[in-house]
Amino acid sequence: MEALIPVINKLQDVFNTVGADIIQLPQIVVVGTQSSGKSSVLESLVGRDLLPRGTGIVTRRPLILQLVHIDQEDRRKTSEENESKKNGRLYRGIDGEEWGKFLHTKNKIYTDFEEIRQEIEAETERISGNNKGISDEPIHLKIFSPHVVNLTLVDLPGITKVPVGDQPKDIEIQIKELILKYISNPNSIILAVTAANTDMATSEALKVAREVDTDGRRTLAVVTKLDLMDAGTDAMDVLMGRVIPVKLGIIGVVNRSQLDINQKKLVADSIRDEYAFLQKKYPSLANRNGTKYLARTLNRLLMHHIRDCLPELKTRINVLAAQYQSLLNSYGEPVDDKSSTLLQLITKFAAEYCHTIEGTAKYIETAELCGGARICYIFHETFGRTLESVDPLGGLTTIDVLTAIRNATGPRPALFVPEVSFELLVKRQVKRLEEPSLRCVELVHEEMQRIIQHCSNYSTQELLRFPKLHDAIVEVVTSLLRKRLPVTNEMVHNLVAIELAYINTKHPDFADACGLMNNNIEEQRRNRMRDLPAGVPRDKAAAGSSQSGSVPEQTDSGTGNWRGMLKRGEENTAGDRAVPQPLFASSQQKGYAVNLLDVPVPVSRKLSAREQRDCEVIERLIKSYFLIVRKNIQDSVPKAVMHFLVNHVKDCLQSELVGQLYKTALLNDLLTESEDMAQRRNEAADMLKALQKAGQVIAEIRETHMW
């Protein structure tokens, strides 16, 4: 199981090559306040001085430190590789035993750890600047040594409260967000560092660790500076977990003092002194504390943690590999046969456009109606409801009807309602159906335009590779729709004009409505006769009524049913409409000439029974005929739109695209990829390659029965 940590290091190397952190690998994240001893703990684990030192905030970028244990065989192999690369230079003794490599310096090998420290400082200032600001871009460093255990550690900036110097005012928030970013990784182990000469109950490291690890399953506490506690006190209760219990344990260590560092005291000597101090001060706990025990514990915890995380890592890698394979497929391969590629893209777009209208597209929108479904909604919901909301008598007043009747009779009093007045008024109402019909055409045209974008976004992602081809296709389809719009509008206009051209009073539905109204008027006449006073002979009243309607009856015998409604009725019954207005003013003086043209026509007056009856008849006839025409328009307009616009575009789209775009002179221009497409394709290919390699690494572990 010891080999699991190198496997994680190998996975880390794989993903470092593509500069991605999409996989959360198991690692140990070191958290603590400034000057709590974090750097000293890390240097003790490495066994060498390699981290920057100074006052205030020194660690300003995450340092991902991979410790790789090597034996003599590994060192000999590495020396042979270096011999071929460095003109025969061999790294023997201390120089050859330990070395470091940065990711950002590629294959450069550092054997001088002072040079490693300087490179960390230089790389920090390159990204974070020299104003004590921080950055979340990590520095990757690998240390190869026979004196280390396999570990992957992350050193983070120390927790601070007050900005110092020219630090940003929100430096505390920035540092906390950076720490949370790393310790929120469920595959990480949190190493919470706290100084022994501070109150454990106020430990900022443990506090921030509990924010993401509430049950403490992945938190290990380290108590530093055991030798700096006040005289007469010790850390026994803290180390035994009596103050703050930590599930993974609490380990105490003794760091080098600043004097030791200034005097270049070796880490190895410091570890010997640490062991002697623990044996003297904490003899019962000496074997469970100290730097060496901390290194072994971290190695053991990390191995078990890796073992638990590998199944989930394998699943995550497989899912990402499938996603990047799909992404790479969407980018397509570099174009070899441009003529064939252009024809395929045109054909595919035309097919997807038609499928979207027909409802058979591969990508079906779930958020809103689109394509053919939206066109159907426009026809039967939007257009249908709009027509139904049109009042058959909207805009018509009783005076309008009466005026139309009187104008149609000319200078002669009429015995019956003239047919011209009915036609005049009903045409006026039918004309109102034209505007919603043309609006229906406009809505369908807009939806046909929206389908272009839908196909570009969801169905034919290959077009995104070629922006010029995409723009050209949009222009051709838009032009085709634009050409069909006036043709469709003209047809819809003609549908209304056809209805206006001939008012068919012999229409079966209209004749039935007239017959029904005749029956209603006859029933009303009988009711009025029943209501006559007892002194009026009913036979005379009936005869008078019959005689008064005889002329209209004879005249209308051959002109249609609707005029027959006028042969029955009473002319002497009082109306209940408006109050009558005098024709001439009472103040007109005798002997003065009156200009009849200057006398205003009464706007409203009391209608006679005959006028009231005529108006009611005309209004009923208009409503009856209007409903017939509205039904026809509601049926014929969608058919016209489908034939002249939708189906025509479907049938002609591919031929129009081929005719406009499939030209030799346009091939190179249309199939020019966008500037970043090649880069994105290479990045996706590199990521897919890295994921596949990571999958192979995990598969090798399973074959060797490591888990």
Side-chain angles (χ1 to χ4, degrees):
M1 197 167 66
E2 179 70 25
L4 287 178
I5 296 179
V7 168
I8 293 300
N9 290 340
K10 188 180 295 185
L11 291 177
Q12 185 71 60
D13 294 341
V14 168
F15 292 115
N16 286 344
T17 59
V18 293
D21 55 355
I22 58 174
I23 296 290
Q24 295 180 317
L25 297 174
Q27 55 193 6
I28 299 170
V29 182
V30 184
V31 180
T33 58
Q34 285 187 22
S35 304
S36 61
K38 293 191 294 86
S39 298
S40 296
V41 171
L42 290 176
E43 288 181 337
S44 298
L45 293 173
V46 177
R48 300 295 294 266
D49 292 330
L50 80 162
L51 297 178
R53 294 283 182 172
T55 59
I57 182 171
V58 178
T59 304
R60 297 188 287 125
R61 287 178 61 184
L63 175 65
I64 299 179
L65 179 62
Q66 293 176 263
L67 304 183
V68 182
H69 177 80
I70 59 171
D71 53 25
Q72 293 297 326
E73 186 65 26
D74 294 328
R75 182 159 51 87
R76 227 180 354 260
K77 180 179 178 181
T78 305
S79 297
E80 293 172 359
E81 293 176 355
N82 290 329
E83 181 180 11
S84 63
K85 295 179 181 178
K86 301 291 183 179
N87 300 324
R89 179 184 176 188
L90 295 175
Y91 297 104
R92 295 187 177 91
I94 295 177
D95 289 338
E97 279 186 346
E98 300 173 302
W99 66 90
K101 291 174 63 176
F102 287 96
L103 177 64
H104 63 273
T105 58
K106 306 302 179 184
N107 294 322
K108 183 178 179 179
I109 294 177
Y110 296 80
T111 56
D112 185 353
F113 280 79
E114 180 63 29
E115 191 178 354
I116 291 177
R117 184 209 307 271
Q118 294 173 358
E119 181 60 31
I120 293 175
E121 293 176 346
E123 181 65 12
T124 298
E125 291 189 0
R126 186 180 69 84
I127 299 298
S128 303
N130 54 9
N131 64 342
K132 299 299 183 180
I134 67 170
S135 169
D136 62 350
E137 184 176 340
I139 299 174
H140 293 266
L141 172 62
K142 294 182 73 171
I143 300 295
F144 300 85
S145 172
H147 309 301
V148 300
V149 295
N150 292 311
L151 288 175
T152 300
L153 302 143
V154 181
D155 187 22
L156 296 174
I159 301 172
T160 185
K161 293 293 184 181
V162 181
V164 178
D166 56 355
Q167 284 183 341
K169 293 183 179 180
D170 63 340
I171 188 68
E172 178 187 0
I173 298 175
Q174 290 185 27
I175 293 176
K176 185 172 182 180
E177 289 178 349
L178 179 60
I179 292 174
L180 290 174
K181 174 183 176 181
Y182 279 87
I183 66 176
S184 296
N185 173 10
N187 296 332
S188 67
I189 295 175
I190 305 172
L191 190 64
V193 179
T194 304
N197 55 359
T198 61
D199 190 351
M200 190 73 170
T202 62
S203 170
E204 290 289 337
L206 289 175
K207 178 183 177 182
V208 73
R210 286 187 175 180
E211 291 184 20
V212 295
D213 183 30
T214 54
D215 54 1
R217 290 186 304 106
R218 52 188 183 90
T219 300
L220 174 67
V222 174
V223 179
T224 62
K225 304 180 181 181
L226 291 176
D227 56 331
L228 299 182
M229 297 187 68
D230 294 338
T233 62
D234 59 36
M236 186 67 71
D237 290 341
V238 172
L239 296 177
M240 295 291 291
R242 297 167 184 165
V243 178
I244 301 292
V246 180
K247 284 189 177 181
L248 295 184
I250 301 174
I251 300 176
V253 297
V254 176
N255 302 332
R256 290 180 299 169
S257 66
Q258 188 61 45
L259 179 62
D260 294 336
I261 295 172
N262 295 338
Q263 294 178 350
K264 306 296 183 182
K265 183 178 181 179
L266 296 178
V267 174
D269 295 339
S270 175
I271 291 177
R272 282 195 297 270
D273 293 344
E274 176 192 53
Y275 180 74
F277 174 83
L278 292 173
Q279 287 289 350
K280 178 181 178 181
K281 190 71 174 177
Y282 304 96
S284 62
L285 301 178
N287 294 332
R288 286 181 289 153
N289 289 277
T291 300
K292 289 187 176 181
Y293 181 78
L294 173 62
R296 292 195 302 270
T297 301
L298 290 175
N299 178 263
R300 174 178 54 82
L301 290 175
L302 188 58
M303 283 191 300
H304 286 284
H305 200 59
I306 291 171
R307 181 192 61 188
D308 297 337
C309 294
L310 276 179
E312 183 182 348
L313 280 178
K314 178 178 180 296
T315 302
R316 173 68 174 160
I317 288 172
N318 290 339
V319 170
L320 286 173
Q323 292 176 351
Y324 273 92
Q325 182 66 62
S326 176
L327 181 63
L328 188 61
N329 293 340
S330 70
Y331 292 153
E333 297 295 331
V335 178
D336 295 326
D337 187 351
K338 292 188 176 182
S339 178
S340 175
T341 301
L342 178 60
L343 186 59
Q344 289 176 1
L345 290 174
I346 288 175
T347 302
K348 185 173 182 180
F349 179 88
E352 290 294 340
Y353 191 92
C354 296
H355 291 160
T356 303
I357 294 176
E358 295 167 357
T360 57
K362 181 179 179 181
Y363 298 90
I364 298 178
E365 181 66 59
T366 58
E368 61 178 354
L369 293 177
C370 70
R374 193 175 188 88
I375 292 174
C376 178
Y377 182 86
I378 292 170
F379 286 157
H380 302 292
E381 297 294 331
T382 306
F383 178 59
R385 290 180 179 177
T386 302
L387 288 187
E388 291 174 359
S389 67
V390 178
D391 184 6
L393 300 175
L396 275 183
T397 65
T398 303
I399 295 299
D400 293 336
V401 176
L402 182 60
T403 302
I405 295 173
R406 296 178 64 181
N407 285 338
T409 59
R412 297 171 301 280
L415 297 176
F416 53 87
V417 177
E419 185 176 355
V420 176
S421 61
F422 165 71
E423 292 191 3
L424 175 66
L425 294 171
V426 81
K427 286 181 179 180
R428 171 178 167 182
Q429 299 306 101
V430 170
K431 183 69 175 175
R432 299 169 61 215
L433 298 176
E434 183 174 8
E435 182 180 352
S437 300
L438 294 176
R439 177 58 180 161
C440 176
V441 178
E442 183 181 350
L443 290 175
V444 174
H445 176 268
E446 291 175 359
E447 179 57 28
M448 299 282 283
Q449 194 75 34
R450 289 178 69 247
I451 295 176
I452 303 175
Q453 191 64 36
H454 173 82
C455 293
S456 301
N457 291 341
Y458 298 99
S459 303
T460 52
Q461 292 187 1
E462 294 90 340
L463 285 178
L464 300 178
R465 294 177 56 193
F466 311 109
K468 291 186 178 180
L469 176 60
H470 175 267
D471 294 342
I473 289 178
V474 171
E475 179 60 31
V476 171
V477 181
T478 301
S479 177
L480 179 59
L481 290 171
R482 193 183 303 118
K483 287 190 295 185
R484 297 307 302 173
L485 184 58
V487 178
T488 309
N489 282 336
E490 181 66 20
M491 181 60 199
V492 171
H493 173 77
N494 287 337
L495 288 175
V496 179
I498 288 170
E499 297 291 346
L500 296 174
Y502 181 66
I503 305 300
N504 183 16
T505 57
K506 290 292 187 180
H507 192 284
D509 294 340
F510 187 65
D512 292 344
C514 292
L516 181 60
M517 281 187 282
N518 279 336
N519 295 335
N520 291 339
I521 292 176
E522 178 63 23
E523 184 177 355
Q524 292 174 6
R525 188 184 69 83
R526 293 196 189 98
N527 292 338
R528 284 197 297 270
M529 292 185 66
R530 282 199 303 268
D531 295 337
L532 287 176
V536 179
R538 295 185 179 273
D539 54 348
K540 291 184 179 181
S545 174
S546 176
Q547 291 174 4
S548 64
S550 61
V551 175
E553 184 179 60
Q554 295 171 4
T555 307
D556 299 336
S557 59
T559 58
N561 292 336
W562 69 276
R563 292 200 185 107
M565 289 185 291
L566 307 178
K567 67 182 180 179
R568 302 175 181 90
E570 300 296 332
E571 295 187 2
N572 295 326
T573 304
D576 57 354
R577 298 253 175 152
V579 177
Q581 299 292 335
L583 183 60
F584 301 108
S586 58
S587 61
Q588 289 177 342
Q589 298 180 1
K590 185 177 180 181
Y592 284 86
V594 178
N595 186 350
L596 296 179
L597 298 180
D598 291 339
V599 179
V601 177
V603 177
S604 62
R605 61 180 180 80
K606 185 176 181 180
L607 301 182
S608 67
R610 171 67 180 272
E611 290 172 338
Q612 182 178 351
R613 182 197 63 194
D614 291 349
C615 290
E616 291 176 354
V617 169
I618 289 294
E619 289 174 355
R620 293 181 182 180
L621 291 174
I622 291 173
K623 184 175 181 180
S624 175
Y625 196 82
F626 179 87
L627 295 178
I628 295 171
V629 175
R630 186 174 72 182
K631 184 178 180 181
N632 294 341
I633 294 296
Q634 191 170 353
D635 178 65
S636 58
V637 167
K639 293 179 179 178
V641 174
M642 287 298 297
H643 176 73
F644 286 92
L645 181 60
V646 180
N647 290 343
H648 187 277
V649 171
K650 282 173 51 182
D651 296 339
C652 301
L653 180 58
Q654 182 166 352
S655 60
E656 189 77 14
L657 288 171
V658 172
Q660 295 286 339
L661 304 179
Y662 191 64
K663 298 177 181 179
T664 305
L666 299 177
L667 283 177
N668 292 330
D669 186 51
L670 292 178
L671 294 182
T672 300
E673 286 189 327
S674 59
E675 295 179 357
D676 61 338
M677 181 56 66
Q679 179 182 352
R680 285 190 289 174
R681 185 191 297 111
N682 292 336
E683 291 175 353
D686 292 342
M687 181 58 69
L688 179 61
K689 185 177 179 180
L691 289 167
Q692 291 173 341
K693 189 174 181 180
Q696 292 174 358
V697 171
I698 294 181
E700 292 173 1
I701 300 174
R702 299 194 65 177
E703 291 176 1
T704 55
H705 305 287
M706 290 184 180
W707 56 290

